[in-house]
Amino acid sequence: MKARAKLTINDIARMAGVSKKTVSRVINRSPELNPDTRKRVDELIAALGYVPNPQARALASGHNFLIGLVHGNPNAQTVMNVQHGILDALCGTEFEMVVRPIQRGSPALLGDLRAFIERQRLFGLVLMPPLSEDEAVAALCRETGCRYARLGPSGPDAPDDMVTSNDRAAVREATGYLISLGHRAIALVEGPEDFRSARERRAGFEQALVEAGIALPRSMMAEGDYRFETGLIAGERLLALTQRPTAIFCCNDEMAAGVIHAAGRLGLDVPGDLSVIGFDDTPTAAHIWPPLTTVRWPIVTMARAATLRLIAANDRDADSALLFPSTLIHRASVSVPAVLAGMKPLLEPIDEAR
């Protein structure tokens, strides 16, 4: 008995009365497709038991059905969140994810990235900060013909092909919340200077203080690199000041956790003696004590949107930008300053003219 010929994507297209490209969009869960068409093709695929052949399609298209994630980010939780967003977008499609960490600042960075793209024959790349801010990386993607989508904060010079968040406005709101409670001695734990996110978050912090007429002494700013250890060091330095802050804004949750740890070492109560706000809303924020007030960064949603833009690249305006707002999440790490709560103040008033 002659074996039944294996169904192809062309067969499905012919029987559904649509183009091969439309069937491919259905398989890859393109968000921009007529619901009736999607339903008709899905039902036909299910009824016939059609299974796409990724090897054959890879040979025909010149690439594998792989979405790459490259990063040089020191925050493991952020990397995991991006992976979750990518995998959510790829669920139910024939695409898979492959991850490659790359050493920031390495002279071999571009060569390593080129080898990764060409060896894996990638369909597309999701670029995390700070690599997403590197124009040489974007230029390499274009040169190799690899689709790419960048993740990062918005800003005056943010590329049009970036899926963005409103870090500056969100931090301005968070700092304004501290000011509304009566805090005037507010310190900042910064992120790495070569991250756009750190610069945007600092700008939002400074903007809120300027609008409230509050000066920021240089002593109230501490450097960090988005890791817990640098938050601990920064917290110890800030809380050793003669004029201690009543509140500290940290540019991510890991550093905020370090600041809370430093306060505990000194016998200070959070939030009674010190209010702390972070940024990201990672699981760390809800699990530490007290639970951390923080800015929720929608990085999972951003990664999902960036991936959908890649796998449905022909269904969208290539110049369209996507902005996902961050929101302030209120928890237990913030209260009014001790002096306003009728308690002994931790500091003398800061000379705002300094």
Side-chain angles (χ1 to χ4, degrees):
M1 182 176 177
K2 187 177 180 180
R4 180 181 176 184
K6 188 173 182 180
L7 286 170
T8 69
I9 191 171
N10 290 323
D11 294 328
I12 299 297
R14 176 176 49 78
M15 287 185 277
V18 298
S19 68
K20 175 181 173 181
K21 185 175 181 180
T22 296
V23 176
S24 179
R25 289 174 178 171
V26 172
I27 293 170
N28 294 325
R29 301 303 172 201
S30 169
E32 300 185 25
L33 197 65
N34 181 284
D36 292 336
T37 300
R38 182 193 304 279
K39 183 174 183 292
R40 184 168 75 255
V41 175
D42 270 336
E43 289 177 347
L44 184 60
I45 287 174
L48 297 175
Y50 170 69
V51 178
N53 185 331
Q55 289 79 20
R57 296 190 65 207
L59 287 173
S61 63
H63 57 69
N64 289 319
F65 288 85
L66 295 175
I67 298 297
L69 169 63
V70 293
H71 68 88
N73 197 295
N75 191 307
Q77 185 61 59
T78 298
V79 177
M80 288 180 61
N81 285 343
V82 171
Q83 291 183 46
H84 290 163
I86 293 173
L87 290 173
D88 185 47
L90 299 184
C91 182
T93 75
E94 59 190 317
F95 287 91
E96 301 291 345
M97 176 182 70
V98 57
V99 182
R100 173 67 188 272
I102 290 183
Q103 184 64 43
R104 290 188 301 132
S106 167
L109 186 151
L110 293 178
D112 288 346
L113 180 57
R114 179 186 292 274
F116 176 61
I117 292 171
E118 294 177 348
R119 183 171 57 251
Q120 299 293 337
R121 300 171 70 230
L122 297 175
F123 183 91
L125 270 178
V126 176
L127 300 173
M128 281 184 62
L131 293 179
S132 60
E133 301 156 14
D134 189 331
E135 288 303 320
V137 169
L140 175 63
C141 291
R142 292 190 293 270
E143 180 185 335
T144 58
C146 182
R147 300 170 178 85
Y148 66 95
R150 313 197 222 190
L151 303 176
S154 59
D157 56 347
D160 290 336
D161 54 22
M162 187 174 279
V163 177
T164 61
S165 55
N166 61 334
D167 292 30
R168 183 181 300 204
V171 174
R172 177 189 173 199
E173 177 190 351
T175 308
Y177 172 58
L178 291 172
I179 294 170
S180 73
L181 293 177
H183 291 280
R184 294 297 179 269
I186 308 174
L188 172 69
V189 179
E190 302 183 72
E193 181 59 31
D194 59 341
F195 278 55
R196 181 193 300 272
S197 60
R199 299 192 298 272
E200 287 295 313
R201 292 169 196 180
R202 172 176 170 171
F205 177 82
E206 292 176 334
Q207 184 177 355
L209 294 188
V210 168
E211 291 171 351
I214 300 174
L216 178 66
R218 188 65 189 89
S219 61
M220 284 284 189
M221 300 176 67
E223 296 179 355
D225 68 0
Y226 285 161
R227 293 182 300 121
F228 172 89
E229 293 79 8
T230 59
L232 178 61
I233 294 168
E236 289 175 340
R237 184 184 78 72
L238 291 169
L239 296 174
L241 295 173
T242 302
Q243 296 181 313
R244 283 193 283 225
T246 64
I248 300 178
F249 178 83
C250 302
C251 283
N252 82 338
D253 292 344
E254 286 290 316
M255 296 191 300
V259 167
I260 290 176
H261 193 78
R265 283 184 177 181
L266 295 172
L268 299 176
D269 176 68
V270 177
D273 299 322
L274 176 72
S275 290
V276 181
I277 295 183
F279 195 108
D280 282 341
D281 196 28
T282 60
T284 296
H287 296 165
I288 61 174
W289 187 260
L292 182 66
T293 296
T294 186
V295 176
R296 177 172 292 163
W297 187 33
I299 187 61
V300 175
T301 305
M302 291 167 62
R304 181 179 184 276
T307 307
L308 289 175
R309 294 184 77 187
L310 286 176
I311 64 178
N314 294 327
D315 295 337
R316 65 172 179 84
D317 177 357
D319 294 326
S320 64
L322 293 173
L323 173 65
F324 294 87
S326 300
T327 53
L328 182 61
I329 304 300
H330 296 271
R331 294 197 180 98
S333 65
V334 172
S335 70
V336 298
V339 65
L340 296 182
M343 300 168 63
K344 183 179 178 180
L346 284 171
L347 61 140
E348 297 296 327
I350 284 183
D351 179 5
E352 294 186 354
R354 287 174 58 190

